[in-house]
Amino acid sequence: LCLFFACLVCFPALAEEAKKPAFLTPEQVAEHQKTIDRVEKYLSGLTTLAADFSQTASDGTLTSGMFYLKRPGMMRWEYKPPIPVLMVADGHQFVYYDSELQQVSYIPLKSTVLGFLAQKDSLFGDKVGLLAVEEKNGVIRITLAQRDSPEDGKLMLEFSDKPLLIRNMVITDAAKLTTTVSLNHARFGVPLDKELFVFNDPRPKRVN
């Protein structure tokens, strides 16, 4: 499970030994421009999303839970027991909470590769660059990375076509370890309570 967190955050220490990936050239982007525009329009049009998710780590470990997205800036990954992990993005930071270890980590949202999904405008080409675009058998796959730190990790988004729907994500960290997340029973445009995206630290407060 920590692998997913590492992939989300893309720790710089791992990136030091990683080879920088090559972004698509303008000519290569032009070959897939219609598809890129469709995906960009689709992602920019997302307001809320609630889905069951199943997660497969590179070692084959399987976990599951609920995923919530409210754009801009908010996400929640809620794992089912016995996994003691909750991850919440409140628009500014990602909070990782392990109830078993009683540990909380705070990470700037902009430093996470998945922060792309929650940003106000899902625009390719500015802060986010394209590494690959694949169209085959009714499936579209788009791989991207942050332009200012592409060696930190990459995110592959997989969509079913006609209609266009996001269904899988593959996060690869700087050490080439991957986590695959499949979205199931996705519900779009549903009302989501803002409290889902607020982390209230349940740990006992220390008395000085």
Side-chain angles (χ1 to χ4, degrees):
L1 182 60
C2 291
L3 169 62
F4 187 38
F5 181 56
C7 288
L8 283 171
V9 176
C10 297
F11 291 111
L14 293 175
E16 292 177 358
E17 299 180 0
K19 182 180 178 181
K20 289 187 177 182
F23 291 110
L24 296 183
T25 65
E27 292 76 18
Q28 291 172 319
V29 170
E31 293 178 10
H32 301 278
Q33 194 63 61
K34 288 185 178 180
T35 297
I36 293 170
D37 289 345
R38 284 184 63 212
V39 170
E40 184 176 51
K41 182 179 180 181
Y42 168 79
L43 292 175
S44 295
L46 290 180
T47 55
T48 63
L49 165 62
D52 303 317
F53 75 84
S54 55
Q55 175 184 309
T56 306
S58 58
D59 63 359
T61 301
L62 299 175
T63 52
S64 62
M66 285 295 300
F67 169 62
Y68 302 93
L69 170 70
K70 185 174 183 179
R71 300 178 63 247
M74 293 179 279
M75 284 187 283
R76 180 184 181 95
W77 299 87
E78 187 176 300
Y79 286 82
K80 292 181 179 179
I83 303 302
V85 169
L86 171 67
M87 295 187 292
V88 178
D90 63 4
H92 303 286
Q93 60 188 358
F94 235 117
V95 182
Y96 177 94
Y97 173 57
D98 188 319
S99 60
E100 186 173 87
L101 299 178
Q102 291 289 290
Q103 290 182 348
V104 178
S105 300
Y106 295 88
I107 306 297
L109 183 59
K110 64 181 181 180
S111 70
T112 69
V113 69
L114 269 184
F116 162 80
L117 283 179
Q119 67 187 22
K120 183 176 181 180
D121 298 305
S122 298
L123 300 176
F124 300 125
D126 183 11
K127 294 182 180 180
V128 173
L130 298 175
L131 299 172
V133 178
E134 302 174 64
E135 303 173 67
K136 188 176 181 180
N137 299 327
V139 176
I140 297 171
R141 297 183 180 90
I142 291 186
T143 305
L144 52 92
Q146 298 182 89
R147 284 194 176 276
D148 59 355
S149 55
E151 69 279 4
D152 285 354
K154 61 184 180 180
L155 170 66
M156 189 276 283
L157 302 175
E158 182 179 273
F159 306 83
S160 58
D161 200 357
K162 299 177 182 180
L164 189 63
L165 290 173
I166 187 169
R167 65 182 191 183
N168 295 313
M169 295 178 277
V170 179
I171 304 99
T172 305
D173 71 7
K176 308 299 184 183
L177 298 177
T178 62
T179 299
T180 300
V181 179
S182 298
L183 301 180
N184 309 303
H185 310 112
R187 299 168 304 281
F188 299 89
V190 295
L192 295 178
D193 192 323
K194 62 181 181 180
E195 292 301 315
L196 283 171
F197 311 102
V198 176
F199 176 72
N200 296 308
D201 196 337
R203 297 176 300 175
K205 293 183 178 180
R206 295 181 180 180
V207 178
N208 295 327

